[in-house]
């Protein structure tokens, strides 16, 4: 199918699924970017709140997309600069000798094989004097194997801050500007029609709006290696374009070799999926990641096509009814016969 026809067909399909979800009252609204080469198309359906329509320049809390939009590329840059080694133990960078997680490597964290505690709750550390990085590595290790773990990316965010001597929000902000992303940032963002609220956690109270939805990231001040970033469909498209260009050998702030290595299968993730470095990889070569709030980014390096979706599906509850259908539509647009769903 020609690129122009594919753009039109995919945009129509994503718009239709979003309209069904909005009309059913399952989510307030959502945006999407569909692109290939130098062409892209935007979709916006529904509202941000009762008065304001959503749009491609509305910012959404991307949740776990933060892992691949901030932490993953910053690790790639640090490796290229000789600041980090994917296979060096954490004890090489942190004073954690003797702790159970001292030998955990960055590669293990990126492939979710670190064996770190998979429970992300950080409340137990509130009011203590224990350093968070040390606390994460002090817990007993889990059984070997693949387990999706937020704590590893939390740890990488903390490590990047210490290696560079500045905040993760500043490191990521500089990277995003280099990539041409002008509206992506860690919160807090001012409440406005330009920001989509996430969950109303207590009936009668205001929803979480402009501040991170993830509880662990909130305890960390809204800036963490696993969650906390906000972006727009426009910037998500820019990010996709840049990654696909880098994959093809283009110059930029993230090494092309790192992008290509990350998008190869490294670990069996089950359900006919593999985990690359950070990203999930399908048998058809689609690479993608999901975010709990209702966000996803799918890319197919072989064709240069991508579909990014931003919603606040948690706004009406954490069941996120209909989100599987939306993600399946986005993924199958790149691989028509693929309809499986995945974590997050």
């Amino acid at each position: 199918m020609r690129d122009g026809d594919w753009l039109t067909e995919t945009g129509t399909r994503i718009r239709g699924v979003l309209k069904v979800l909005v009309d059913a009252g399952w989510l307030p609204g959502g945006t999407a970017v569909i692109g290939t080469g130098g062409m892209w198309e935007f979709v916006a359906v529904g509202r941000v709140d009762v008065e304001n329509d959503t749009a491609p320049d509305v910012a959404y809390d991307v949740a776990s997309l933060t892992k691949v939009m901030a932490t993953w590329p910053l690790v790639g840059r640090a490796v290229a600069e000789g600041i980090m080694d994917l296979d060096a133990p954490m004890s090489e960078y942190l004073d954690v000798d003797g702790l159970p997680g001292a030998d955990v490597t960055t590669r293990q964290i990126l492939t979710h094989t670190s064996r770190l505690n998979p429970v992300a709750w950080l409340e137990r550390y509130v009011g203590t004097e224990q350093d968070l990085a040390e606390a994460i590595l002090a817990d007993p290790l889990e059984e070997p194997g693949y387990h999706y773990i937020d704590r590893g990316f939390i740890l990488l965010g903390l490590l990047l801050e210490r290696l560079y001597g500045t905040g993760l929000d500043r490191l990521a902000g500089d990277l995003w500007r280099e990539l041409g992303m002008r509206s992506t940032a860690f919160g807090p963002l001012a409440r406005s029609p330009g920001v989509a609220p996430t969950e109303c956690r207590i009936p009668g109270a205001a929803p979480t709006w402009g501040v991170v939805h993830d509880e662990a990231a909130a305890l960390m001040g809204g800036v963490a290696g696993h969650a906390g970033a906000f972006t727009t469909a426009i910037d998500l498209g820019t990010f996709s374009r840049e990654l696909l260009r880098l994959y093809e050998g283009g110059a930029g702030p993230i090494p092309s070799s790192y992008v290509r290595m990350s998008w190869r299968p490294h670990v069996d993730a089950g359900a006919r999926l593999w985990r690359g470095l950070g990203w999930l990889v399908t048998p058809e070569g689609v690479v993608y990641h999901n975010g709990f709030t209702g966000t996803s980014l799918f890319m197919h390096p072989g064709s240069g096509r991508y579909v990014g979706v931003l919603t606040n599906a948690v706004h009406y509850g954490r069941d996120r009814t209909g989100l599987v259908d939306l993600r399946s539509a986005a993924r199958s647009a790149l691989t028509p016969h693929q309809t499986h769903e995945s974590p997050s």
Side-chain angles (χ1 to χ4, degrees), residues 170-186:
R170 180 169 181 177
L171 291 171
D174 290 345
L175 175 75
W176 291 329
R177 280 189 292 275
E178 286 186 61
L179 293 172
M181 301 160 65
R182 301 180 179 180
S183 302
T184 303
F186 280 95

Side-chain angles (χ1 to χ4, degrees), residues 133-151:
E134 293 177 13
I136 290 172
L137 294 171
D139 277 352
L141 296 181
E142 302 290 314
E143 290 298 314
Y146 172 81
H147 303 285
Y148 186 81
I149 299 171
D150 282 341
R151 281 182 175 227

Side-chain angles (χ1 to χ4, degrees), residues 72-110:
W72 167 78
L74 287 171
V75 166
R77 168 177 274 186
V79 169
E81 293 174 349
I83 296 174
M84 291 180 70
D85 183 329
L86 291 178
D87 297 306
M90 288 296 120
S91 59
E92 185 168 314
Y93 308 110
L94 303 167
D95 185 16
V96 293
D97 282 326
L99 296 183
D103 291 332
V104 167
T105 68
T106 298
R107 187 185 302 275
Q108 291 170 339
I109 292 174
L110 292 175

Side-chain angles (χ1 to χ4, degrees), residues 3-89:
D3 285 346
D5 294 334
W6 176 81
L7 279 175
T8 301
E9 181 179 301
T10 304
T12 299
R13 184 178 182 189
I14 298 298
R15 185 178 292 106
V17 177
L18 274 171
K19 188 175 187 306
V20 168
L21 302 186
V22 170
D23 290 347
W26 292 336
L27 52 80
T31 64
V33 57
I34 302 103
T36 179
M39 300 185 293
W40 59 12
E41 178 176 319
F42 295 96
V43 171
V45 178
R47 297 188 169 187
V48 173
D49 55 31
V50 294
E51 296 180 351
N52 298 282
D53 292 338
T54 191
D57 60 353
V58 168
Y60 284 80
D61 178 341
V62 301
S64 280
L65 282 187
T66 302
K67 293 181 175 75
V68 293
M69 294 184 71
T71 307
W72 167 78
L74 287 171
V75 166
R77 168 177 274 186
V79 169
E81 293 174 349
I83 296 174
M84 291 180 70
D85 183 329
L86 291 178
D87 297 306

